[in-house]
Amino acid sequence: MTPGDQHPDPAVQPLRSDAERNRERIIAAARTVFARDGLNASMASVAREAGVGIATMFRRFPTKEELVDAVFIDRMTAYADAVTAALDDPDPWDGFVSYVETACAMQAADYGFADVLTATFPSAKALEQRRNEAYEGMVELIGRAKATGRLREDFDPSDLVLVHMANAGVVNATGAAAPDAWRRVVALLIQSFEAPARGRLPDSPDHEALYQAMLRPGQAGAARSESGS
């Protein structure tokens, strides 16, 4: 070390270490709280679970979206990996069915993630990037499954969003009282997707309207402002 080099201030190091420990404690607490109570759980409840003050909470995560990003990026990565695995299946219909069942099982295992798949968080950049990658894979998977003649021709990618919304509703409504009820609902849905179609479906929702529906409360206005609408 040359005379011009600055010596690290030893008093700063514990603060940095404490800050990192607090961050990890908050993330672990949020995983517990969100998995149990869903994304409607308050930041204050996460702070209590973590054993930190609310001021510390907001220093580490100024917004709920930033906390959601940190907590669920690993699960969203696993979700994207499920799409990749489905694309690797030599039978596109089997891959499609496996993907739907896997994604819905992930929702059933974690109330928070059940909510994440039915919402979008524009400022949670890492989370949304993984979601977008998964969506692109899903579109390809749907095209392949249709090409086999097993998936009905009028199936739209937005239908998978509706599946997640329906499944989240069942998971949250039945809870621990009937924890496997979602499996029957998902099986019924999958059978309705298979060709030949039994009848004509109503039009799918407008994709922009569905995106607006997926915004968490308070985000819709901001999203419209950003889009200039």
Side-chain angles (χ1 to χ4, degrees):
M1 178 178 292
T2 65
D5 290 333
Q6 292 186 349
H7 292 273
D9 183 348
V12 173
Q13 300 306 312
L15 290 176
R16 290 177 179 169
S17 179
D18 286 348
E20 183 58 27
R21 280 197 297 270
N22 282 340
R23 184 180 187 279
E24 294 305 318
R25 187 180 300 126
I26 290 167
I27 291 173
R31 285 195 175 116
T32 298
V33 172
F34 290 153
R36 182 186 66 223
D37 302 330
L39 294 190
N40 286 330
S42 68
M43 295 284 272
S45 66
V46 174
R48 285 194 298 272
E49 179 76 22
V52 301
I54 195 67
T56 297
M57 175 77 162
F58 281 107
R59 277 198 300 273
R60 302 281 75 81
F61 298 98
T63 68
K64 196 171 189 178
E65 285 199 7
E66 291 179 60
L67 181 58
V68 167
D69 201 8
V71 170
F72 290 106
I73 183 59
D74 59 337
R75 286 164 176 76
M76 190 61 80
T77 296
Y79 173 75
D81 289 345
V83 178
T84 300
L87 286 167
D88 288 340
D89 194 306
D91 186 319
W93 170 253
D94 288 346
F96 174 80
V97 170
S98 175
Y99 154 72
V100 173
E101 291 175 342
T102 298
C104 289
M106 292 176 69
Q107 286 186 294
D110 186 325
Y111 287 0
F113 194 65
D115 289 343
V116 165
L117 286 187
T118 65
T120 189
F121 306 88
S123 66
K125 301 302 185 184
L127 191 74
E128 292 304 314
Q129 179 180 347
R130 295 302 283 148
R131 188 202 302 275
N132 290 338
E133 291 169 0
Y135 179 80
E136 291 173 3
M138 285 189 298
V139 171
E140 181 178 352
L141 180 63
I142 289 167
R144 291 184 187 180
K146 284 183 179 181
T148 68
R150 296 289 302 279
L151 179 62
R152 57 187 300 156
E153 274 299 319
D154 56 356
F155 187 90
D156 186 84
S158 66
D159 291 327
L160 286 175
V161 178
L162 298 180
V163 168
H164 293 321
M165 287 179 170
N167 190 52
V170 171
V171 167
N172 282 288
T174 56
D180 291 327
W182 68 272
R183 296 183 185 277
R184 184 174 178 85
V185 174
V186 170
L188 288 168
L189 290 171
I190 288 172
Q191 290 182 30
S192 75
F193 300 153
E194 192 169 7
R198 271 59 174 182
R200 185 179 182 278
L201 291 173
D203 292 340
S204 60
D206 177 79
H207 286 203
E208 176 59 25
L210 195 56
Y211 173 78
Q212 292 295 326
M214 291 175 67
L215 288 167
R216 303 303 292 181
Q219 293 177 343
R224 282 193 292 270
S225 296
E226 289 175 5
S227 65
S229 58

